């Protein structure tokens, strides 16, 4: 928990195979395109720069401040990476961070990794880009513009990403939308304030120390209308779809069941085995007991093998 | 503050000696099998869990270590908790909570427990994988799975500098602690905005240091002949034993999923 303070990493077992596979496909395509874009921009510097900055965002998630009564504000980093590096590099950095969190700390599963990359990497970055660019344009050249835009981008990226996460859970049938959406959205509307404040603080610091870096980032972002539009679209879609889904949870459940990976195959199978009971085994309870016995034998066998090989090894050592 | 990041534990077990590519494919297949097994197919879940228990024992990582660390996914089960009360089915337990009474249905509880078992088994499988495979070997497996080579190189470099930057962040936190007065964890000085501003400056500092470090690393790489092409050793061929393990493992998992879908689908 130390390294991922934002409870948005979906573990394995919570997404249906259809949802997980679809989001893996989307994430791979977008990340592949981002790799090409960043390579075209900075060429051979890509590997060291993206690698070190991904490690930096990962480590930056440790930095926190106490809010009140033992709770603390943390950083996810999507907004900061997007604002300073541009959206495509931001997607790459967040993909690496989320991937390593899943592999090393089991923060989020591997089948669910596509969804987690989609939420925190793609949705988070696109929304942060859209929010920051829009807020900057509205604020013009006023002195506090960078800081306030940073806060807005940080907050909105967390909030919208959490809505995406809640909808995916609802679509998988693991959490009803009328509970998941308000719960996830509510918690992250609060967590997002911490994210926004830290992002704003970091931008204020960078503007004072290295204004050229922020200017560079702004220059690099030209011609990224696509991401701006995508960010606007995703934010608008999720913010309007979530209350709707929340109000009609049965609708989403219905979609989940209609498009479920398994439900398609169910009908003919029922026909093959009408009582759906294991042949030769009177009921499900007995089948469970049998499975438990087989499991015990397997586990016991493995323990014996390990004990045996260990003894062999010790004997060879002692000789 | 010290952080132990690397999940790898050095042992000489059968699982440790297995080819990383086989381990990654079998782990992914296991996760898929868990996800495809229908809710309430308890015998199949028992067998799948005992498979991960067997892998844990064979890996010599320590059953307590793996199953204990696998509990990290448990808090997320809260998200699935409402299922017990919202899925339609026979009423099972009534929970009087002040003015409202929550009624858990058998179908709802079945689905909730299935989700919890799935996530616990899946996390345990990934822990066995990362506990028994050094990270560079995981990168080899990622390359074999045809993930984009540039992405794998970036993740490799990230892993190399992760420890450096986590130490850097820990130094920043220590410096802040050394300069701050405070009375325990709960009472800290300054206003909320001020504390957030200080933390923002820490993040900015970390970012600048990382940015400069990346420049130095790039210069060092160029000095050693880096031309933008990441060259890696060709993957060694898989031997017969590895192929057998892979085939048997996939067949077993396929059979279990088929069993679950046939009888409990």
């Amino acid at each position: 928990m130390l390294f991922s303070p934002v409870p948005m990493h979906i573990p394995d077992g919570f997404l249906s195979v259809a949802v997980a596979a679809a989001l893996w496909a989307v994430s791979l395509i977008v990340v592949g395109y981002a790799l090409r874009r960043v390579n075209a921009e900075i060429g051979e510097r890509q590997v060291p720069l993206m690698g070190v900055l991904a490690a930096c965002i990962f480590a930056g998630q440790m930095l926190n401040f106490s809010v009140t009564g033992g709770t603390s504000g943390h950083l996810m980093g999507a907004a900061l990476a997007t604002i300073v590096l541009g959206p495509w590099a931001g997607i790459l950095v967040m993909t690496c961070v989320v991937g390593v969190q899943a592999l090393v700390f089991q923060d989020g599963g591997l089948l669910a990794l596509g969804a987690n990359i989609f939420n925190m990497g793609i949705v988070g970055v696109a929304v942060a880009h859209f929010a920051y660019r829009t807020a900057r344009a509205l604020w013009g050249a006023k002195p506090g513009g960078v800081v306030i835009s940073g806060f807005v981008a940080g907050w909105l990226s967390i909030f919208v990403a959490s809505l995406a996460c809640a909808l995916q859970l609802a679509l998988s049938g693991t959490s009803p939308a009328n509970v998941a959406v308000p719960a996830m959205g509510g918690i992250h509307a609060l967590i997002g304030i911490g994210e926004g404040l830290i992002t704003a603080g970091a931008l204020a610091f960078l503007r004072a120390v290295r204004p050229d870096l922020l200017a560079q980032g702004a220059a690099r972002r030209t011609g990224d209308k696509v991401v701006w539009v995508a960010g606007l679209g995703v934010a608008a879609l999720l913010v309007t779809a979530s209350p709707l889904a929340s109000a009609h949870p049965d609708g989403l459940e219905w979609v989940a069941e209609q498009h479920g990976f398994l439900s398609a195959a169910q009908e003919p199978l029922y026909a093959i085995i009408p009582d759906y009971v294991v042949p030769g085994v009177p009921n499900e309870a007995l089948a469970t007991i049998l499975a438990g016995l087989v499991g015990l034998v397997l586990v016991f066998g493995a323990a014996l093998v390990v004990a045996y090989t260990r003894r062999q090894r010790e004997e060879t050592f002692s000789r | 503050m010290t952080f132990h990041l690397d999940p790898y534990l050095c042992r000489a077990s059968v699982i440790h000696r297995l080819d990383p590519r086989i381990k990654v494919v079998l782990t992914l297949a296991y996760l898929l099998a868990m996800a495809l097994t229908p809710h309430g197919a308890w015998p199949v879940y028992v067998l799948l869990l005992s498979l991960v228990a067997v892998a844990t024992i064979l890996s010599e990582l320590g059953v307590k270590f793996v199953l204990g660390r696998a509990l990290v996914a448990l808090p997320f089960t809260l998200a699935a908790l409402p299922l017990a009360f919202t899925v339609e089915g026979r009423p099972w337990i009534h929970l009087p909570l002040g003015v409202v009474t929550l009624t858990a249905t058998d179908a709802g509880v079945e689905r909730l427990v299935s989700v919890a078992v799935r996530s616990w088994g899946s996390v345990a499988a990934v822990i066995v994988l990362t506990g028994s495979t050094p990270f560079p070997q995981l990168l080899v497996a990622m390359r074999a799975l045809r993930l984009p080579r540039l992405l794998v190189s970036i993740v490799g470099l990230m892993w190399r500098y992760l420890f450096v930057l986590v130490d850097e962040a820990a130094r920043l936190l220590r410096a802040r602690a050394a300069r701050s007065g405070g009375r325990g964890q709960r009472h800290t000085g300054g206003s909320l905005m001020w504390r957030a501003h200080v933390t923002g400056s820490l993040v900015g500092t970390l970012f600048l240091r990382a940015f400069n470090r990346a420049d130095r690393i790039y210069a060092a790489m160029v000095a050693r002949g880096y031309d933008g092409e990441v060259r890696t050793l060709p993957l060694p061929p898989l031997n017969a034993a590895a192929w057998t393990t892979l085939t048997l493992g996939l067949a077993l998992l396929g059979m279990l999923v088929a069993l679950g879908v046939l009888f409990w689908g």
Side-chain angles (χ1 to χ4, degrees), chain A residues 240-298:
Chain A
T240 50
S242 305
L244 276 179
S246 177
H248 305 281
D250 299 340
L252 210 58
E253 192 122 299
W254 186 81
V255 172
E257 306 219 322
Q258 289 300 304
H259 295 279
F261 193 78
L262 286 168
S263 53
Q266 260 176 16
E267 305 275 342
L269 288 175
Y270 280 132
I272 300 171
I273 309 146
D275 313 330
Y276 35 100
V277 170
V278 187
V281 180
N283 60 37
E284 210 181 299
L286 195 58
T288 312
I289 294 168
L290 268 181
L293 283 177
V294 173
L296 262 184
V297 170
L298 280 175

Side-chain angles (χ1 to χ4, degrees), chain B residues 77-137:
Chain B
T77 310
L78 273 179
L81 201 59
L83 280 179
F85 309 105
T86 52
V87 176
E88 280 172 31
R90 249 181 313 131
W92 198 51
I93 299 177
H94 296 279
L95 289 177
L97 288 176
V99 281
V100 285
T101 305
L102 288 173
T103 307
T105 61
D106 56 346
V109 172
E110 183 182 273
R111 216 197 268 192
L112 171 65
V113 176
S114 300
V115 167
V117 165
R118 268 183 193 173
S119 74
W120 192 43
S122 304
V123 176
V126 179
I127 290 173
V128 172
L129 171 71
T130 52
S132 68
T133 320
F135 200 80
Q137 289 200 23

Side-chain angles (χ1 to χ4, degrees), chain A:
Chain A
M1 290 311 263
L2 179 66
F3 287 94
S4 90
V6 184
M8 213 192 291
H9 299 68
I10 306 173
D12 280 325
F14 283 83
L15 289 183
S16 71
V17 175
V19 172
L23 290 172
W24 252 116
V26 174
S27 295
L28 274 180
I29 292 168
V30 175
V31 170
Y33 183 69
L35 274 172
R36 284 233 311 268
R37 281 297 298 255
V38 176
N39 206 18
E41 260 172 40
I42 56 175
E44 56 183 45
R45 285 184 60 203
Q46 185 184 19
V47 171
L49 190 64
M50 293 298 111
V52 172
L53 291 181
C56 163
I57 294 290
F58 187 101
Q61 297 189 344
M62 289 164 60
L63 304 175
N64 61 348
F65 65 98
S66 64
V67 175
T68 175
T71 58
S72 51
H74 284 271
L75 184 77
M76 181 175 83
L80 184 65
T82 309
I83 292 165
V84 185
L85 302 170
W88 298 112
I91 288 176
L92 281 192
V93 164
M94 289 314 289
T95 299
C96 294
V97 170
V98 174
V100 167
Q101 278 171 338
L103 266 181
V104 178
F105 300 102
Q106 284 76 49
D107 271 331
L110 293 187
L111 279 190
L113 183 57
N116 287 328
I117 289 175
F118 180 80
N119 295 344
M120 280 170 273
I122 298 170
V123 171
V125 165
V127 169
H129 180 71
F130 151 74
Y132 183 74
R133 297 291 288 170
T134 312
R136 278 309 300 275
L138 288 179
W139 233 262
K142 281 181 202 140
V146 175
V147 176
I148 290 173
S149 309
F151 176 83
V152 172
W155 184 83
L156 202 67
S157 70
I158 293 271
F159 181 65
V160 176
S162 80
L163 292 182
C165 175
L167 284 184
Q168 287 153 13
L169 289 177
L171 210 56
S172 301
T174 34
S175 194
N178 55 351
V179 179
V181 170
M184 284 296 253
I187 293 171
H188 288 90
L190 289 178
I191 289 177
I193 295 175
E195 169 90 9
L197 287 177
I198 297 183
T199 306
L203 287 179
F205 176 83
L206 287 177
R207 193 188 50 179
V209 182
R210 284 284 302 271
D212 56 311
L213 210 63
L214 284 182
Q216 242 177 45
R220 210 182 286 140
R221 278 194 308 268
T222 48
D224 273 315
K225 291 258 160 42
V226 186
V227 183
W228 189 87
V229 172
L232 171 66
V234 166
L237 185 74
L238 286 173
V239 169
T240 50
S242 305
L244 276 179
S246 177
H248 305 281
D250 299 340
L252 210 58
E253 192 122 299
W254 186 81
V255 172
E257 306 219 322
Q258 289 300 304
H259 295 279
F261 193 78
L262 286 168
S263 53
Q266 260 176 16
E267 305 275 342
L269 288 175
Y270 280 132
I272 300 171
I273 309 146
D275 313 330
Y276 35 100
V277 170
V278 187
V281 180
N283 60 37
E284 210 181 299
L286 195 58
T288 312
I289 294 168
L290 268 181
L293 283 177
V294 173
L296 262 184
V297 170
L298 280 175
V299 169
F300 190 64
L304 275 184
V305 169
V306 168
Y308 180 73
T309 48
R310 267 211 186 134
R311 208 177 62 193
Q312 292 259 310
R313 222 181 291 148
E314 272 158 25
E315 273 171 12
T316 30
F317 279 136
S318 59
R319 248 177 236 148

